[in-house]
Amino acid sequence: MSMFQVFNISGSAVSAQSQRLNVVASNLANADTVAGPDGSAYKARQVVFQTELMGAAGAAGVRVSTVSESDAAGRRVHDPKHPSADAEGYVTFSNVNAVEEMVNMISASRSYQNNVEVMNTAKVLLQKTLQLGS
Amino acid sequence: MINRLTDTLNFQAEALVLRSERQRLIASNIANADTPGYVARDMDFATALRQATGQAGTPGRLAATAPGHLSPPAGARGEAGLRYAAASQTNLDRNTVDMDRERASFADNSVKYEATLRFINGSVRTMLDAIKGQSS
Protein backbone atom coordinates (compact mmCIF):
# COMPACT_ATOMS: atom_id res chain seq x y z
CA MET A 1 0.00 0.00 0.00
CA SER A 2 1.87 3.00 -1.25
CA MET A 3 -0.28 5.52 0.56
CA PHE A 4 1.33 4.56 3.88
CA GLN A 5 4.69 5.65 2.52
CA VAL A 6 3.40 9.19 2.28
CA PHE A 7 3.83 9.37 6.04
CA ASN A 8 7.48 8.33 5.81
CA ILE A 9 8.14 10.80 3.00
CA SER A 10 6.37 13.77 4.54
CA GLY A 11 7.64 12.81 7.99
CA SER A 12 11.24 12.95 6.79
CA ALA A 13 10.55 16.34 5.21
CA VAL A 14 8.93 17.66 8.38
CA SER A 15 11.87 16.59 10.50
CA ALA A 16 14.34 18.09 8.01
CA GLN A 17 12.44 21.37 7.97
CA SER A 18 12.29 21.47 11.75
CA GLN A 19 16.05 20.95 11.87
CA ARG A 20 16.36 23.89 9.46
CA LEU A 21 14.15 25.92 11.78
CA ASN A 22 16.38 24.91 14.68
CA VAL A 23 19.46 26.15 12.87
CA VAL A 24 17.72 29.43 12.05
CA ALA A 25 16.88 29.80 15.74
CA SER A 26 20.53 29.28 16.74
CA ASN A 27 21.64 31.79 14.13
CA LEU A 28 19.17 34.42 15.26
CA ALA A 29 20.02 33.80 18.92
CA ASN A 30 23.69 34.37 18.12
CA ALA A 31 23.16 37.36 15.83
CA ASP A 32 24.85 39.70 18.31
CA THR A 33 27.51 37.36 19.68
CA VAL A 34 30.95 38.99 19.76
CA ALA A 35 34.25 37.26 19.12
CA GLY A 36 35.77 35.49 22.09
CA PRO A 37 39.44 35.62 23.14
CA ASP A 38 40.41 33.46 20.12
CA GLY A 39 39.16 36.18 17.78
CA SER A 40 36.49 34.13 16.01
CA ALA A 41 32.82 34.86 16.55
CA TYR A 42 29.83 32.56 15.95
CA LYS A 43 29.49 31.54 12.31
CA ALA A 44 26.08 31.33 10.68
CA ARG A 45 25.00 27.77 9.95
CA GLN A 46 22.96 26.37 7.05
CA VAL A 47 21.46 22.94 6.64
CA VAL A 48 22.06 21.12 3.36
CA PHE A 49 19.13 19.00 2.17
CA GLN A 50 19.58 15.79 0.27
CA THR A 51 17.08 13.47 -1.37
CA GLU A 52 16.74 10.13 0.37
CA LEU A 53 15.31 7.31 -1.74
CA MET A 54 12.79 5.14 0.09
CA GLY A 55 12.61 1.76 -1.55
CA ALA A 56 9.81 1.95 -4.10
CA ALA A 57 10.14 3.81 -7.38
CA GLY A 58 9.53 7.50 -7.08
CA ALA A 59 9.38 7.57 -3.30
CA ALA A 60 11.86 10.20 -2.22
CA GLY A 61 12.18 11.67 1.24
CA VAL A 62 14.58 14.31 2.48
CA ARG A 63 17.38 14.29 4.98
CA VAL A 64 19.85 16.84 6.22
CA SER A 65 23.20 15.73 4.83
CA THR A 66 25.42 18.32 6.51
CA VAL A 67 25.24 21.53 8.44
CA SER A 68 27.64 23.94 6.78
CA GLU A 69 29.15 27.02 8.40
CA SER A 70 29.27 30.28 6.49
CA ASP A 71 32.82 31.65 6.19
CA ALA A 72 31.77 35.19 5.43
CA ALA A 73 33.66 37.85 7.39
CA GLY A 74 32.06 38.84 10.67
CA ARG A 75 30.52 42.26 11.18
CA ARG A 76 33.18 44.68 12.54
CA VAL A 77 32.13 47.67 14.60
CA HIS A 78 34.42 50.41 15.90
CA ASP A 79 33.84 50.62 19.66
CA PRO A 80 37.07 51.09 21.63
CA LYS A 81 35.25 51.06 24.99
CA HIS A 82 33.86 47.56 24.40
CA PRO A 83 35.60 44.95 26.60
CA SER A 84 36.10 42.68 23.58
CA ALA A 85 37.58 45.36 21.34
CA ASP A 86 40.86 44.48 19.63
CA ALA A 87 44.03 46.64 19.53
CA GLU A 88 42.57 48.90 16.83
CA GLY A 89 39.32 49.35 18.75
CA TYR A 90 37.15 47.09 16.55
CA VAL A 91 34.69 44.54 17.89
CA THR A 92 33.97 41.51 15.66
CA PHE A 93 30.39 40.28 15.77
CA SER A 94 29.06 37.04 14.29
CA ASN A 95 28.43 36.91 10.53
CA VAL A 96 24.70 36.21 10.91
CA ASN A 97 22.51 38.19 8.50
CA ALA A 98 19.23 38.63 10.36
CA VAL A 99 17.21 39.39 7.22
CA GLU A 100 18.41 36.23 5.48
CA GLU A 101 17.57 34.21 8.56
CA MET A 102 14.04 35.60 8.73
CA VAL A 103 13.46 34.73 5.07
CA ASN A 104 14.86 31.26 5.72
CA MET A 105 12.54 30.88 8.71
CA ILE A 106 9.42 31.78 6.74
CA SER A 107 10.42 29.42 3.92
CA ALA A 108 11.01 26.59 6.39
CA SER A 109 7.72 27.17 8.15
CA ARG A 110 5.77 27.21 4.86
CA SER A 111 7.40 23.97 3.72
CA TYR A 112 6.62 22.44 7.10
CA GLN A 113 2.95 23.42 6.76
CA ASN A 114 2.80 22.00 3.25
CA ASN A 115 4.08 18.63 4.40
CA VAL A 116 1.74 18.52 7.37
CA GLU A 117 -1.15 19.14 5.01
CA VAL A 118 0.02 16.32 2.76
CA MET A 119 0.02 13.98 5.75
CA ASN A 120 -3.45 15.13 6.82
CA THR A 121 -4.86 14.49 3.35
CA ALA A 122 -3.22 11.07 3.22
CA LYS A 123 -4.71 10.26 6.62
CA VAL A 124 -8.23 11.23 5.52
CA LEU A 125 -7.91 9.22 2.30
CA LEU A 126 -6.62 6.17 4.18
CA GLN A 127 -9.49 6.36 6.66
CA LYS A 128 -11.95 6.45 3.78
CA THR A 129 -10.17 3.49 2.20
CA LEU A 130 -10.50 1.54 5.44
CA GLN A 131 -14.25 2.12 5.44
CA LEU A 132 -14.49 0.76 1.91
CA GLY A 133 -17.53 -1.41 1.23
CA SER A 134 -19.24 -0.69 4.54
CA MET B 1 -18.42 -17.75 -11.89
CA ILE B 2 -17.33 -15.85 -8.81
CA ASN B 3 -14.80 -13.81 -10.75
CA ARG B 4 -17.63 -12.40 -12.84
CA LEU B 5 -18.78 -10.67 -9.69
CA THR B 6 -15.37 -9.20 -9.01
CA ASP B 7 -14.23 -8.47 -12.57
CA THR B 8 -16.02 -5.14 -12.56
CA LEU B 9 -14.10 -4.16 -9.45
CA ASN B 10 -10.71 -4.92 -10.94
CA PHE B 11 -10.55 -1.83 -13.12
CA GLN B 12 -11.39 0.50 -10.24
CA ALA B 13 -8.97 -1.37 -7.97
CA GLU B 14 -6.13 -0.84 -10.46
CA ALA B 15 -7.08 2.82 -10.72
CA LEU B 16 -7.05 3.13 -6.91
CA VAL B 17 -3.57 1.59 -6.66
CA LEU B 18 -2.27 3.96 -9.34
CA ARG B 19 -3.91 6.94 -7.65
CA SER B 20 -2.18 6.08 -4.37
CA GLU B 21 1.13 5.70 -6.22
CA ARG B 22 0.66 9.11 -7.78
CA GLN B 23 -0.20 10.53 -4.36
CA ARG B 24 3.11 9.17 -3.10
CA LEU B 25 4.98 10.71 -6.04
CA ILE B 26 3.45 14.13 -5.41
CA ALA B 27 4.18 13.81 -1.69
CA SER B 28 7.83 13.13 -2.61
CA ASN B 29 7.90 16.24 -4.78
CA ILE B 30 6.42 18.40 -2.03
CA ALA B 31 8.84 16.92 0.51
CA ASN B 32 11.79 17.76 -1.76
CA ALA B 33 10.64 21.29 -2.59
CA ASP B 34 13.80 22.71 -0.96
CA THR B 35 16.31 20.03 -1.96
CA PRO B 36 18.98 21.33 -4.37
CA GLY B 37 19.13 19.44 -7.66
CA TYR B 38 15.91 17.47 -7.12
CA VAL B 39 13.93 16.82 -10.30
CA ALA B 40 10.17 16.55 -9.83
CA ARG B 41 8.46 13.43 -11.13
CA ASP B 42 4.92 12.74 -12.12
CA MET B 43 2.89 9.96 -13.62
CA ASP B 44 1.24 9.83 -17.02
CA PHE B 45 -1.90 8.49 -15.43
CA ALA B 46 -3.84 7.55 -18.55
CA THR B 47 -0.95 5.53 -20.00
CA ALA B 48 -0.20 3.91 -16.65
CA LEU B 49 -3.82 2.87 -16.21
CA ARG B 50 -4.01 1.50 -19.75
CA GLN B 51 -0.88 -0.54 -19.08
CA ALA B 52 -2.10 -1.75 -15.69
CA THR B 53 -5.42 -2.95 -17.08
CA GLY B 54 -3.77 -4.55 -20.10
CA GLN B 55 -5.45 -2.32 -22.67
CA ALA B 56 -2.18 -1.28 -24.26
CA GLY B 57 1.16 -2.78 -25.11
CA THR B 58 3.35 -2.53 -22.04
CA PRO B 59 6.76 -1.17 -23.01
CA GLY B 60 8.00 -1.42 -19.44
CA ARG B 61 7.20 -5.09 -19.06
CA LEU B 62 10.01 -7.61 -18.83
CA ALA B 63 9.87 -10.51 -21.22
CA ALA B 64 11.95 -13.65 -20.76
CA THR B 65 13.15 -14.23 -24.34
CA ALA B 66 16.06 -16.54 -23.53
CA PRO B 67 16.28 -19.51 -21.16
CA GLY B 68 18.81 -17.71 -18.93
CA HIS B 69 16.53 -14.75 -18.25
CA LEU B 70 15.08 -14.26 -14.81
CA SER B 71 11.33 -14.01 -14.71
CA PRO B 72 10.01 -10.88 -13.01
CA PRO B 73 8.13 -11.35 -9.74
CA ALA B 74 4.36 -11.39 -9.98
CA GLY B 75 2.82 -7.94 -10.07
CA ALA B 76 6.07 -6.24 -11.04
CA ARG B 77 5.57 -3.15 -13.17
CA GLY B 78 7.99 -1.07 -15.14
CA GLU B 79 8.41 2.60 -14.51
CA ALA B 80 7.18 3.50 -17.96
CA GLY B 81 4.50 5.79 -16.58
CA LEU B 82 6.96 7.98 -14.67
CA ARG B 83 8.06 11.26 -16.22
CA TYR B 84 10.39 14.01 -15.13
CA ALA B 85 8.99 17.51 -14.85
CA ALA B 86 10.67 20.41 -16.58
CA ALA B 87 11.36 23.51 -14.54
CA SER B 88 8.69 26.15 -15.02
CA GLN B 89 11.00 28.84 -13.71
CA THR B 90 14.75 28.68 -13.69
CA ASN B 91 16.30 28.15 -10.31
CA LEU B 92 19.82 28.58 -9.00
CA ASP B 93 19.68 25.27 -7.16
CA ARG B 94 18.34 23.32 -10.21
CA ASN B 95 15.26 22.18 -8.32
CA THR B 96 12.32 21.69 -10.67
CA VAL B 97 9.51 21.42 -8.11
CA ASP B 98 6.84 23.98 -8.90
CA MET B 99 4.86 24.26 -5.68
CA ASP B 100 1.73 25.65 -7.39
CA ARG B 101 1.65 22.78 -9.84
CA GLU B 102 2.30 20.22 -7.12
CA ARG B 103 -0.42 21.56 -4.87
CA ALA B 104 -2.88 21.55 -7.76
CA SER B 105 -1.93 17.98 -8.73
CA PHE B 106 -2.19 16.93 -5.10
CA ALA B 107 -5.73 18.32 -4.73
CA ASP B 108 -6.72 16.86 -8.11
CA ASN B 109 -5.35 13.44 -7.21
CA SER B 110 -7.01 13.45 -3.76
CA VAL B 111 -10.41 14.19 -5.26
CA LYS B 112 -10.00 11.53 -7.93
CA TYR B 113 -8.85 9.00 -5.35
CA GLU B 114 -12.04 9.68 -3.41
CA ALA B 115 -14.06 9.40 -6.58
CA THR B 116 -12.55 5.98 -7.28
CA LEU B 117 -13.36 4.95 -3.72
CA ARG B 118 -16.99 5.97 -4.27
CA PHE B 119 -17.18 4.02 -7.51
CA ILE B 120 -15.95 0.92 -5.70
CA ASN B 121 -18.37 1.51 -2.84
CA GLY B 122 -21.19 1.89 -5.34
CA SER B 123 -20.35 -1.36 -7.11
CA VAL B 124 -20.08 -3.19 -3.81
CA ARG B 125 -23.43 -1.86 -2.67
CA THR B 126 -25.07 -2.78 -5.96
CA MET B 127 -23.65 -6.27 -5.70
CA LEU B 128 -24.82 -6.66 -2.10
CA ASP B 129 -28.30 -5.50 -3.08
CA ALA B 130 -28.35 -8.08 -5.86
CA ILE B 131 -27.27 -10.81 -3.44
CA LYS B 132 -29.81 -9.89 -0.78
CA GLY B 133 -32.67 -9.36 -3.21
CA GLN B 134 -35.85 -7.58 -2.15
CA SER B 135 -36.64 -9.91 0.75
CA SER B 136 -35.81 -7.44 3.51
Side-chain angles (χ1 to χ4, degrees):
Chain A
M1 189 70 199
S2 44
M3 191 72 97
F4 283 113
Q5 262 188 329
V6 171
F7 293 108
N8 294 339
I9 293 164
S10 297
S12 75
V14 161
S15 87
Q17 296 292 349
S18 76
Q19 198 171 336
R20 181 179 172 194
L21 214 53
N22 245 329
V23 169
V24 170
S26 333
N27 288 347
L28 281 176
N30 285 288
D32 286 328
T33 311
V34 294
D38 59 343
S40 67
Y42 176 87
K43 287 192 165 67
R45 274 143 219 220
Q46 288 285 0
V47 291
V48 179
F49 286 159
Q50 197 180 39
T51 302
E52 183 183 36
L53 294 180
M54 293 185 156
V62 198
R63 70 187 176 92
V64 174
S65 60
T66 51
V67 179
S68 69
E69 283 190 348
S70 156
D71 48 6
R75 191 158 45 93
R76 277 164 65 82
V77 175
H78 186 69
D79 185 3
K81 292 198 192 81
H82 196 284
S84 304
D86 61 8
E88 294 165 343
Y90 279 98
V91 186
T92 309
F93 286 86
S94 70
N95 61 359
V96 174
N97 183 337
V99 177
E100 268 175 28
E101 298 304 330
M102 293 304 281
V103 171
N104 214 348
M105 181 188 81
I106 293 169
S107 169
S109 112
R110 289 286 180 234
S111 298
Y112 192 101
Q113 286 172 18
N114 267 329
N115 283 293
V116 168
E117 208 176 300
V118 169
M119 280 197 276
N120 269 332
T121 310
K123 193 185 90 182
V124 171
L125 288 180
L126 273 173
Q127 274 172 344
K128 287 189 176 160
T129 314
L130 285 174
Q131 290 161 5
L132 193 64
S134 63
Chain B
M1 172 60 198
I2 192 74
N3 60 356
R4 278 203 200 157
L5 287 175
T6 53
D7 268 352
T8 49
L9 283 176
N10 277 352
F11 177 80
Q12 300 292 353
E14 289 287 355
L16 195 70
V17 168
L18 284 175
R19 283 281 169 217
S20 74
E21 270 176 31
R22 182 158 185 242
Q23 195 83 353
R24 191 188 61 197
L25 275 179
I26 299 170
S28 302
N29 290 345
I30 292 178
N32 282 285
D34 295 323
T35 311
Y38 180 82
V39 180
R41 307 185 80 183
D42 203 352
M43 182 184 274
D44 181 358
F45 191 82
T47 312
L49 185 61
R50 237 175 285 140
Q51 284 174 14
T53 52
Q55 289 172 11
T58 48
R61 222 170 76 196
L62 301 172
T65 51
H69 286 174
L70 296 173
S71 55
R77 250 203 309 269
E79 273 188 51
L82 290 190
R83 301 279 164 83
Y84 289 99
S88 53
Q89 293 177 43
T90 47
N91 251 342
L92 268 183
D93 63 357
R94 299 187 320 283
N95 184 312
T96 69
V97 177
D98 177 357
M99 211 30 145
D100 302 324
R101 188 179 57 204
E102 299 303 334
R103 289 295 297 266
S105 309
F106 191 78
D108 166 73
N109 201 57
S110 307
V111 169
K112 286 177 179 164
Y113 184 92
E114 268 197 74
T116 309
L117 276 181
R118 286 199 190 184
F119 290 144
I120 297 179
N121 261 331
S123 317
V124 168
R125 213 157 289 151
T126 310
M127 211 183 293
L128 283 177
D129 282 348
I131 293 171
K132 280 183 201 154
Q134 292 290 326
S135 59
S136 59

